[in-house]
Amino acid sequence: MTAQTKKRGGGESGNGGAGLGLAAFIANGEDLGPIVRHAFESGKPESLLQGLRSIVKMKEVEIEELCRVHYEEFILAVDELRGVLVDADELKGTLSGENLRLQEVASSLLLKLDELLELYSVNKNVEEALGMLKICLQVTSLCQMCNKDIAEARLHSALKSLELIEKDFLQNIPLKLLKKAVQKQIPIVKLYIEKKVCNEFNEWLVYIRRTAKEIGKVSISQASLARQKNEGIRSQQREAEDCSRIGFDEHAYALDLDLIGEEEVLEFDLTPVYRANYIHTCLGLGEKFREYYYNNRLMQLNLDLQIPTTQPFMESHQHFLAQIAGFFIVEDRVLRTADGLLSDSQVETMWGTAISKVTSILEEQFSRMDAANHLLLVKDYVTLLGATMKKYGYQTTSLLEILEKNRDKFYQLLLSDCRKKIDGIFTKDSYEQMIIKKENEYHMNVSAFQLEPIGVVPDFPYVAPFSSSVPDACLIVRSFIDDSVNYLSYDPMMDAYDVVKRYLDKLLIEVLNDGLLNLIHGGCLEITQMVQIAGNIAILEKSCDMFLFHAAQLCGVPRRLLDKPHSGLTARAVLKASQNAAYNGLIALANSKIDEFMLLLTSINWTPEETPEHVNDYMNEVVIYLHTLVSTAQNVFPREALYKVVCGAFSHISDSIMTVFLSDRVKRFNANAAAGIDIDLKKLEEFADDKFHSTGLSELRKETTFRDCLVEIRQLTDLLLSNQPENFMNPVIREKNFGSLDHKKVSIICDKFRDAPESLFGSLSGRSTVQSARKKSLDVLKRRLKDFS
């Protein structure tokens, strides 16, 4: 076998290289496909087949060799294998028996196992179904809750439900139909909620515009109450200051509980705004709603800024301004509480628009007003509007500027109104002393204006030293001061006292004083009326201090500052001058009346044959008139003024008699006529002395008495009745007895003097024609006077 093997190996050596390569491929388990394909493609498959056969032969030789080497081992292995086969057959039989028994036992168990597996499958399906149902149930429950919330207007809860469905359940809904339905309904529900809150907000817009007026009125009334409280406190302070000057008042610093009150709460509902803002924010439409809110409120503001054309501004201004106030009070609340719904810049823009329009309207309306009280009423409400808005942080400078701009117009109208009122009371007054019958009338017309000492209540009926126009004028002046301070109260930083004082002077000088001067120079007054007017002026002149003190009180100026030099009113000096003008007018009026009586003097008999025994009629009229004048003036005039007026009347009587002597209406007169004049003068002098003492004027220690005012005519009469008239030319005697006489006037009058009566039949009367010594002396005086001239 070995030889054969070797022989084969040598015979096949020609293809050894290819066979070894092929054998290596086979030994390595590589794919022979490429080699086979290459052999067939090259057309040489025989070499490949030959190589494969060689390999087969080689493997057969190796197997034979292996079997030869391990022959004994194979025998043993076969024996063992046969034993194993026998055991295997036995085991197979045993297993077969056991298998039959096992199948018999397990067949019932297998049936139960199938049933169990089926139950497990059913259980799994049920669990999955329960999970799906649970999710669907939760979703439907949330949907029902959302529907219920919407039906009950709990839109916030409805949105929360929708948000929960979208975030936690929508993507996990196992039922496609339900999922599709929910996905479809969510936008519809959101849109419904948006429309719902928009409708509520639109209703709120209507409500708040209707309510804004009331809100503004309540706020402005609060500002008014606060101002009244402050004024009450200032009034108490002024009273305390007054009391501190005269003594301590235990009630001056008492706490007045009436001044402590709670402000009325402003109640208005912003819930629809908050809800609409929040829901739009939740829907992602916050910016859209903010713009919607701002645009709608801006449109409402523009409507509110339009004043009604069918109603006068005086009737509508409070509603108009209250509407504006209410609007911005609401906006302030929205700005502070609505979580960014409004910005500061938006509110400032709206306020700037409103304040510009309001000031424009006020300026136009102020220009049309023709009554100070109208302007004051509007100003008062504008001031309250400014105070109210300032409390909420709004700038109100423009409102103060428009009031400042119209201050001069207000005073023009106020002065014009006062002029009409004062002219009316002057026209209505009868210029007779007021007769006050009741205590309340006294307090109302006298004590209220400090026209008499405070604390003294006279017996009634009380005859006041003034007529009804004085308390009426004081009331007008005090009302002027009150209105002035009221108007100027818009600016607490202003020195209101100086402004009020300046215009108070203007009122007293240009209105009151001019009205009095017009009366004085009007020429339509009786003597008693002129007397009363002069007395009224004296009272009004003294009242200037009261007017000034009242203005200082209202302006909060301490009383001590009024006592400084040059702190008074210029009007006081002007009224003093007008008082003198009234005295002069009274004197002129008295003189005019006296002139009427003195016309009777020219009609008396200047050449009577006998000496008169009684006073001439003209002198009786004059004395009666003077008695009336003195009696009337005595109750009204200060003693200095009474002295001036009465002295003027007596001086004028003296001048008038002297003028009659000098006039051409008296061609000649005799001693009897001079004696009659002497009787008249004695009566007048007696009256003068009596009145000079009874009126208390003697206490003034004046150098000139009433009698002294008649000295010229008295000296003339004494000269004419003197037995030695020629003594007039004696300087010593003339200085002593006739110092008031002018030699020219004496010369003219002496030329008219005839000592004996001249009648047509005087030579037949049998009377003595011998000149008396007095006539001779008078003739001497005439000659000497001619020589002197």
Side-chain angles (χ1 to χ4, degrees), residues 25 51 93 96 300 314 324 364 395 455 461 522 528 687 744 753 763:
F25 276 101
S96 177
Q300 285 190 334
M314 281 305 302
I324 302 302
E364 179 183 359
Q395 292 293 329
T528 55
F687 174 81
K744 292 182 179 180
F753 183 73
S763 59

Side-chain angles (χ1 to χ4, degrees), residues 60-79:
E60 287 178 354
V61 172
E62 289 177 3
I63 291 171
E64 287 178 359
E65 185 64 25
L66 182 63
C67 287
R68 185 186 62 77
V69 174
H70 296 287
Y71 174 76
E72 291 181 357
E73 293 177 3
F74 277 129
I75 295 299
L76 291 175
V78 169
D79 291 338

Side-chain angles (χ1 to χ4, degrees), residues 426 431 512-525 529-530 533-534 537 575 577-586 588-589:
F426 284 164
Y431 298 102
L512 182 63
N513 185 70
D514 286 356
L516 291 169
L517 289 178
N518 290 336
L519 284 174
I520 293 169
H521 302 305
C524 301
L525 297 174
Q529 293 177 322
M530 184 66 79
I533 288 174
I537 295 176
L575 286 172
S578 297
Q579 187 178 356
N580 292 329
Y583 295 150
N584 294 332
L586 177 60
L589 193 61

